[in-house]
């Protein structure tokens, strides 16, 4: 399965979800570029579904966030870390940087998905009272 076909399917997916500018941006990526190859590897892991299928639950980022801003390299990097597989990578887990960005966006109500239960990146207000749990 070629990266060109993956980009075309991903573009159709984005158009179907109201992200026309992003669809054109994704379709224009060089098929031999790192991003296109990462998306193609990811879809290969899923069996090259047609139409394109987000590989993680966080693929909702594509549907809900991308239509709200213009295509850019930074957001593309986030998208690759969520929906692509880098060469040699066996899992599609986002990097710690992306995890922190997603958690921050959740706290700021920019991303509409549940925060992992039991995970605490910052101390709660009750922890600020001077008592220590350590």
């Amino acid at each position: 399965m070629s990266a060109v076909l993956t980009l075309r399917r991903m573009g159709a997916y984005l158009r179907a979800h109201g992200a026309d500018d992003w669809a054109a941006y994704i379709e224009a990526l060089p098929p031999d570029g790192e991003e296109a190859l990462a998306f193609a590897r990811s879809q290969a892991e899923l069996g090259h579904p047609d139409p394109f299928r987000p590989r993680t639950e966080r693929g909702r980022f594509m549907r809900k966030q991308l239509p709200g801003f213009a295509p850019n390299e930074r957001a593309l990097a986030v998208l690759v870390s969520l929906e692509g597989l880098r060469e040699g990578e066996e899992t599609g887990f986002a990097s710690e940087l992306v995890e922190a960005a997603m958690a921050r966006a959740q706290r700021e109500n920019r991303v509409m998905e549940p925060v992992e239960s039991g995970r605490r990146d910052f101390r709660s207000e009750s922890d600020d009272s001077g008592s220590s749990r350590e």
Side-chain angles (χ1 to χ4, degrees):
M1 196 60 55
S2 75
V4 172
L5 185 55
T6 298
L7 294 175
R8 198 174 305 141
R9 288 178 176 175
M10 192 171 181
Y13 174 91
L14 290 167
R15 278 192 183 82
H17 290 89
D20 294 341
D21 290 344
W22 273 96
Y25 185 74
I26 293 293
E27 290 168 339
L29 289 173
D32 60 347
E34 181 181 339
E35 296 88 356
L37 295 174
F39 291 135
R41 281 190 290 273
S42 173
Q43 290 297 285
E45 180 184 78
L46 299 173
H48 294 292
D50 186 16
F52 176 89
R53 184 178 56 161
R55 94 180 277 287
T56 68
E57 188 62 22
R58 291 191 175 191
R60 290 183 292 166
F61 173 85
M62 292 168 55
R63 294 189 298 274
K64 294 186 178 191
Q65 301 299 314
L66 291 183
F69 53 92
N72 63 74
E73 288 184 24
R74 186 172 182 189
L76 177 62
V78 171
L79 190 57
V80 169
S81 67
L82 294 173
E83 291 302 323
L85 282 176
R86 293 185 183 97
E87 191 170 9
E89 187 177 41
E90 293 180 16
T91 62
F93 295 115
S95 68
E96 289 181 28
L97 178 63
V98 173
E99 287 286 334
M102 294 297 287
R104 183 175 59 249
Q106 174 65 35
R107 286 190 302 276
E108 295 171 1
N109 293 320
R110 290 188 201 159
V111 178
M112 303 304 291
E113 72 179 15
V115 174
E116 296 174 24
S117 64
R119 182 170 177 198
R120 292 176 48 183
D121 295 326
F122 297 98
R123 295 177 14 187
S124 69
E125 289 179 25
S126 62
D127 289 344
D128 291 339
S129 65
S131 64
S132 175
R133 293 184 188 193
E134 298 176 303

